[in-house]
Amino acid sequence: MAGGQTKIAIVGAGTIGLSFAALHLTKDPNCKVTIFDTRPDLQQYVDQHLPGYLIDVDHEACLKRLSVVSKLEEAVTDVAIVQEQGPEKLAFKVATWPQIELHAPADALLWSSTSGIPASQQNRDMKDKSRLMVVHPFNPPHIMPILEVVPSPETSQAAVERTLAYWRALGRSPVVVKKECTGFVANRLAFALLREACSLVAQGVVSVEDLDELVQTSMGPRWAVAGPFKSYHAGGGEGGLTNFLEKIGGTTQSCWEASDEDIRKGDINVGKKWQAEVCRQTDEAYRVIDTAERDTKTRKVLEAVGRS
Ligand SMILES: NC(=O)c1ccc[n+]([C@@H]2O[C@H](COP(=O)([O-])OP(=O)(O)OC[C@H]3O[C@@H](n4cnc5c(N)ncnc54)[C@H](O)[C@@H]3O)[C@@H](O)[C@H]2O)c1
């Protein structure tokens, strides 16, 4: 696969699909990518939007290795990898995999980009469940190195190993999530912070913009260098995390308790009263985000820490 000429089918080419297509095309100069999507204007849409994702590479050389097709079977015949990022609907995923299975080579790796539908639910009607797993990106995948690899209990270890080898060869950072769980790991962490952030803004403790400023000038840069465990291990000095929890554990516990209580009191659930004010402040502060600027800065951060 990696090393030779890998053929990859991208099924569903929205935000994530185009970004993945760009990632394969730019990171592996030998691969061939075929895009399938049910959009009637697919070719025009790809021509218009894909070049924006192809950074620091010869566009023409990349696009020569790309084809756009209007039939699923045409996309998946003769490929080593089928990567699905169609609608986030169980019925779509359950119905699509058996069709893919019918037309793709028997040893093709089958990856779903889903943010939350485990492979063990998607594979319900498949004959061979051993090659399907979730490969969950952090948006945008052509910039973010992480890929959460989440096998179902029926996924074979060999398929997981081949998946890890592919991404490592491309210089990405796949992490295996050992058990299927709601939201996998990256979003569980991100949404825990989001909930606390919504709660603090809803209580009037801090504004949306100041909270973002706070994250960008503290946890943001810290976490690009070291995750929470490594960070607090450093924070504990020679005694590491054990010492940190001895020294600051009381405050840590108070924060957890206050957070539980505030979230309960403020009823910080999606669709509740707090939401209108938090969204109003966010709209007022940012209007429409310039994702090109976001991507350029994120790449510089990753380059600085040797992770691009
Ligand atoms: N957007 C994110 O931040 C993000 C991050 C990680 C994972 N994901 C996951 O990636 C998947 C796609 O998300 P997105 O944000 O790119 O969605 P999107 O709506 O931008 O793209 C979905 C694409 O699927 C196409 N489609 C619809 N029906 C189809 C069919 N039958 N066959 C093939 N293509 C079809 C649509 O035309 C569209 O282009 C979801 O499963 C989502 O959970 C999204």
PDB file of all heavy atoms in Angstrom, residues 59-77:
ATOM      1  N   HIS A  59      -0.561  21.988  -7.859  1.00  0.00           N
ATOM      2  CA  HIS A  59      -1.984  21.649  -8.014  1.00  0.00           C
ATOM      3  C   HIS A  59      -2.219  20.713  -9.192  1.00  0.00           C
ATOM      4  O   HIS A  59      -2.944  19.741  -9.094  1.00  0.00           O
ATOM      5  CB  HIS A  59      -2.823  22.922  -8.223  1.00  0.00           C
ATOM      6  CG  HIS A  59      -3.054  23.675  -6.953  1.00  0.00           C
ATOM      7  ND1 HIS A  59      -4.035  24.602  -6.797  1.00  0.00           N
ATOM      8  CD2 HIS A  59      -2.425  23.618  -5.763  1.00  0.00           C
ATOM      9  CE1 HIS A  59      -4.003  25.098  -5.576  1.00  0.00           C
ATOM     10  NE2 HIS A  59      -3.021  24.521  -4.936  1.00  0.00           N
ATOM     11  N   GLU A  60      -1.577  21.052 -10.300  1.00  0.00           N
ATOM     12  CA  GLU A  60      -1.810  20.270 -11.513  1.00  0.00           C
ATOM     13  C   GLU A  60      -1.415  18.806 -11.317  1.00  0.00           C
ATOM     14  O   GLU A  60      -2.142  17.884 -11.675  1.00  0.00           O
ATOM     15  CB  GLU A  60      -1.012  20.870 -12.661  1.00  0.00           C
ATOM     16  CG  GLU A  60      -1.830  20.982 -13.934  1.00  0.00           C
ATOM     17  CD  GLU A  60      -1.045  21.732 -14.979  1.00  0.00           C
ATOM     18  OE1 GLU A  60      -0.965  22.973 -14.876  1.00  0.00           O
ATOM     19  OE2 GLU A  60      -0.495  21.060 -15.863  1.00  0.00           O
ATOM     20  N   ALA A  61      -0.253  18.615 -10.682  1.00  0.00           N
ATOM     21  CA  ALA A  61       0.239  17.244 -10.452  1.00  0.00           C
ATOM     22  C   ALA A  61      -0.734  16.492  -9.541  1.00  0.00           C
ATOM     23  O   ALA A  61      -1.005  15.304  -9.745  1.00  0.00           O
ATOM     24  CB  ALA A  61       1.628  17.289  -9.834  1.00  0.00           C
ATOM     25  N   CYS A  62      -1.265  17.174  -8.538  1.00  0.00           N
ATOM     26  CA  CYS A  62      -2.219  16.541  -7.622  1.00  0.00           C
ATOM     27  C   CYS A  62      -3.504  16.187  -8.363  1.00  0.00           C
ATOM     28  O   CYS A  62      -4.018  15.068  -8.249  1.00  0.00           O
ATOM     29  CB  CYS A  62      -2.580  17.480  -6.464  1.00  0.00           C
ATOM     30  SG  CYS A  62      -1.372  17.450  -5.140  1.00  0.00           S
ATOM     31  N   LEU A  63      -4.020  17.143  -9.107  1.00  0.00           N
ATOM     32  CA  LEU A  63      -5.332  16.941  -9.735  1.00  0.00           C
ATOM     33  C   LEU A  63      -5.287  15.887 -10.840  1.00  0.00           C
ATOM     34  O   LEU A  63      -6.294  15.267 -11.153  1.00  0.00           O
ATOM     35  CB  LEU A  63      -5.885  18.281 -10.251  1.00  0.00           C
ATOM     36  CG  LEU A  63      -6.165  19.292  -9.110  1.00  0.00           C
ATOM     37  CD1 LEU A  63      -6.574  20.648  -9.650  1.00  0.00           C
ATOM     38  CD2 LEU A  63      -7.213  18.770  -8.132  1.00  0.00           C
ATOM     39  N   LYS A  64      -4.092  15.626 -11.389  1.00  0.00           N
ATOM     40  CA  LYS A  64      -3.939  14.558 -12.389  1.00  0.00           C
ATOM     41  C   LYS A  64      -4.234  13.188 -11.778  1.00  0.00           C
ATOM     42  O   LYS A  64      -4.569  12.247 -12.462  1.00  0.00           O
ATOM     43  CB  LYS A  64      -2.498  14.553 -12.904  1.00  0.00           C
ATOM     44  CG  LYS A  64      -2.331  15.288 -14.202  1.00  0.00           C
ATOM     45  CD  LYS A  64      -0.971  14.991 -14.786  1.00  0.00           C
ATOM     46  CE  LYS A  64      -0.582  16.127 -15.704  1.00  0.00           C
ATOM     47  NZ  LYS A  64       0.833  16.363 -15.756  1.00  0.00           N
ATOM     48  N   ARG A  65      -4.022  13.084 -10.475  1.00  0.00           N
ATOM     49  CA  ARG A  65      -4.206  11.800  -9.797  1.00  0.00           C
ATOM     50  C   ARG A  65      -5.605  11.671  -9.185  1.00  0.00           C
ATOM     51  O   ARG A  65      -5.872  10.784  -8.394  1.00  0.00           O
ATOM     52  CB  ARG A  65      -3.123  11.617  -8.728  1.00  0.00           C
ATOM     53  CG  ARG A  65      -1.736  11.486  -9.321  1.00  0.00           C
ATOM     54  CD  ARG A  65      -0.669  11.283  -8.272  1.00  0.00           C
ATOM     55  NE  ARG A  65      -0.329  12.502  -7.573  1.00  0.00           N
ATOM     56  CZ  ARG A  65      -0.536  12.718  -6.294  1.00  0.00           C
ATOM     57  NH1 ARG A  65      -1.077  11.785  -5.559  1.00  0.00           N
ATOM     58  NH2 ARG A  65      -0.203  13.869  -5.736  1.00  0.00           N
ATOM     59  N   LEU A  66      -6.475  12.601  -9.555  1.00  0.00           N
ATOM     60  CA  LEU A  66      -7.824  12.625  -8.985  1.00  0.00           C
ATOM     61  C   LEU A  66      -8.861  12.322 -10.050  1.00  0.00           C
ATOM     62  O   LEU A  66      -8.775  12.841 -11.162  1.00  0.00           O
ATOM     63  CB  LEU A  66      -8.104  14.020  -8.415  1.00  0.00           C
ATOM     64  CG  LEU A  66      -9.528  14.242  -7.895  1.00  0.00           C
ATOM     65  CD1 LEU A  66      -9.711  13.545  -6.552  1.00  0.00           C
ATOM     66  CD2 LEU A  66      -9.832  15.723  -7.757  1.00  0.00           C
ATOM     67  N   SER A  67      -9.849  11.478  -9.727  1.00  0.00           N
ATOM     68  CA  SER A  67     -11.009  11.367 -10.627  1.00  0.00           C
ATOM     69  C   SER A  67     -12.292  11.527  -9.825  1.00  0.00           C
ATOM     70  O   SER A  67     -12.329  11.255  -8.618  1.00  0.00           O
ATOM     71  CB  SER A  67     -10.992  10.056 -11.415  1.00  0.00           C
ATOM     72  OG  SER A  67     -10.482   9.025 -10.642  1.00  0.00           O
ATOM     73  N   VAL A  68     -13.311  11.980 -10.521  1.00  0.00           N
ATOM     74  CA  VAL A  68     -14.605  12.240  -9.895  1.00  0.00           C
ATOM     75  C   VAL A  68     -15.612  11.373 -10.631  1.00  0.00           C
ATOM     76  O   VAL A  68     -15.675  11.418 -11.867  1.00  0.00           O
ATOM     77  CB  VAL A  68     -14.948  13.738 -10.046  1.00  0.00           C
ATOM     78  CG1 VAL A  68     -16.353  14.034  -9.566  1.00  0.00           C
ATOM     79  CG2 VAL A  68     -13.932  14.587  -9.266  1.00  0.00           C
ATOM     80  N   VAL A  69     -16.368  10.565  -9.898  1.00  0.00           N
ATOM     81  CA  VAL A  69     -17.300   9.644 -10.565  1.00  0.00           C
ATOM     82  C   VAL A  69     -18.701   9.799  -9.982  1.00  0.00           C
ATOM     83  O   VAL A  69     -18.885  10.290  -8.871  1.00  0.00           O
ATOM     84  CB  VAL A  69     -16.841   8.165 -10.422  1.00  0.00           C
ATOM     85  CG1 VAL A  69     -15.481   7.959 -11.067  1.00  0.00           C
ATOM     86  CG2 VAL A  69     -16.827   7.718  -8.978  1.00  0.00           C
ATOM     87  N   SER A  70     -19.687   9.319 -10.747  1.00  0.00           N
ATOM     88  CA  SER A  70     -21.070   9.510 -10.310  1.00  0.00           C
ATOM     89  C   SER A  70     -21.717   8.204  -9.852  1.00  0.00           C
ATOM     90  O   SER A  70     -22.897   8.169  -9.538  1.00  0.00           O
ATOM     91  CB  SER A  70     -21.887  10.133 -11.449  1.00  0.00           C
ATOM     92  OG  SER A  70     -21.809   9.275 -12.563  1.00  0.00           O
ATOM     93  N   LYS A  71     -20.922   7.131  -9.821  1.00  0.00           N
ATOM     94  CA  LYS A  71     -21.474   5.851  -9.333  1.00  0.00           C
ATOM     95  C   LYS A  71     -20.576   5.295  -8.237  1.00  0.00           C
ATOM     96  O   LYS A  71     -19.351   5.239  -8.401  1.00  0.00           O
ATOM     97  CB  LYS A  71     -21.532   4.834 -10.468  1.00  0.00           C
ATOM     98  CG  LYS A  71     -22.631   5.106 -11.466  1.00  0.00           C
ATOM     99  CD  LYS A  71     -23.012   3.794 -12.169  1.00  0.00           C
ATOM    100  CE  LYS A  71     -24.208   3.984 -13.053  1.00  0.00           C
ATOM    101  NZ  LYS A  71     -23.893   4.600 -14.352  1.00  0.00           N
ATOM    102  N   LEU A  72     -21.202   4.843  -7.175  1.00  0.00           N
ATOM    103  CA  LEU A  72     -20.439   4.313  -6.044  1.00  0.00           C
ATOM    104  C   LEU A  72     -19.556   3.144  -6.488  1.00  0.00           C
ATOM    105  O   LEU A  72     -18.373   3.077  -6.146  1.00  0.00           O
ATOM    106  CB  LEU A  72     -21.420   3.872  -4.932  1.00  0.00           C
ATOM    107  CG  LEU A  72     -20.810   3.231  -3.700  1.00  0.00           C
ATOM    108  CD1 LEU A  72     -19.889   4.196  -2.960  1.00  0.00           C
ATOM    109  CD2 LEU A  72     -21.892   2.727  -2.743  1.00  0.00           C
ATOM    110  N   GLU A  73     -20.140   2.237  -7.277  1.00  0.00           N
ATOM    111  CA  GLU A  73     -19.368   1.041  -7.656  1.00  0.00           C
ATOM    112  C   GLU A  73     -18.113   1.400  -8.458  1.00  0.00           C
ATOM    113  O   GLU A  73     -17.075   0.761  -8.310  1.00  0.00           O
ATOM    114  CB  GLU A  73     -20.245   0.055  -8.429  1.00  0.00           C
ATOM    115  CG  GLU A  73     -20.863   0.637  -9.671  1.00  0.00           C
ATOM    116  CD  GLU A  73     -21.934  -0.292 -10.231  1.00  0.00           C
ATOM    117  OE1 GLU A  73     -23.050  -0.262  -9.715  1.00  0.00           O
ATOM    118  OE2 GLU A  73     -21.612  -1.032 -11.181  1.00  0.00           O
ATOM    119  N   GLU A  74     -18.233   2.448  -9.262  1.00  0.00           N
ATOM    120  CA  GLU A  74     -17.090   2.892 -10.057  1.00  0.00           C
ATOM    121  C   GLU A  74     -15.969   3.409  -9.147  1.00  0.00           C
ATOM    122  O   GLU A  74     -14.785   3.229  -9.424  1.00  0.00           O
ATOM    123  CB  GLU A  74     -17.567   4.046 -10.949  1.00  0.00           C
ATOM    124  CG  GLU A  74     -17.022   4.056 -12.341  1.00  0.00           C
ATOM    125  CD  GLU A  74     -17.542   5.270 -13.085  1.00  0.00           C
ATOM    126  OE1 GLU A  74     -18.776   5.492 -13.069  1.00  0.00           O
ATOM    127  OE2 GLU A  74     -16.718   6.003 -13.642  1.00  0.00           O
ATOM    128  N   ALA A  75     -16.371   4.052  -8.052  1.00  0.00           N
ATOM    129  CA  ALA A  75     -15.377   4.636  -7.141  1.00  0.00           C
ATOM    130  C   ALA A  75     -14.594   3.571  -6.380  1.00  0.00           C
ATOM    131  O   ALA A  75     -13.404   3.734  -6.133  1.00  0.00           O
ATOM    132  CB  ALA A  75     -16.074   5.575  -6.157  1.00  0.00           C
ATOM    133  N   VAL A  76     -15.270   2.500  -5.989  1.00  0.00           N
ATOM    134  CA  VAL A  76     -14.641   1.579  -5.036  1.00  0.00           C
ATOM    135  C   VAL A  76     -13.993   0.351  -5.678  1.00  0.00           C
ATOM    136  O   VAL A  76     -13.258  -0.383  -5.019  1.00  0.00           O
ATOM    137  CB  VAL A  76     -15.649   1.131  -3.944  1.00  0.00           C
ATOM    138  CG1 VAL A  76     -16.240   2.332  -3.229  1.00  0.00           C
ATOM    139  CG2 VAL A  76     -16.747   0.232  -4.491  1.00  0.00           C
ATOM    140  N   THR A  77     -14.254   0.136  -6.976  1.00  0.00           N
ATOM    141  CA  THR A  77     -13.647  -1.015  -7.648  1.00  0.00           C
ATOM    142  C   THR A  77     -12.137  -0.801  -7.676  1.00  0.00           C
ATOM    143  O   THR A  77     -11.687   0.306  -7.957  1.00  0.00           O
ATOM    144  CB  THR A  77     -14.150  -1.080  -9.125  1.00  0.00           C
ATOM    145  OG1 THR A  77     -15.551  -1.052  -9.073  1.00  0.00           O
ATOM    146  CG2 THR A  77     -13.683  -2.341  -9.822  1.00  0.00           C
TER     147      THR A  77
END
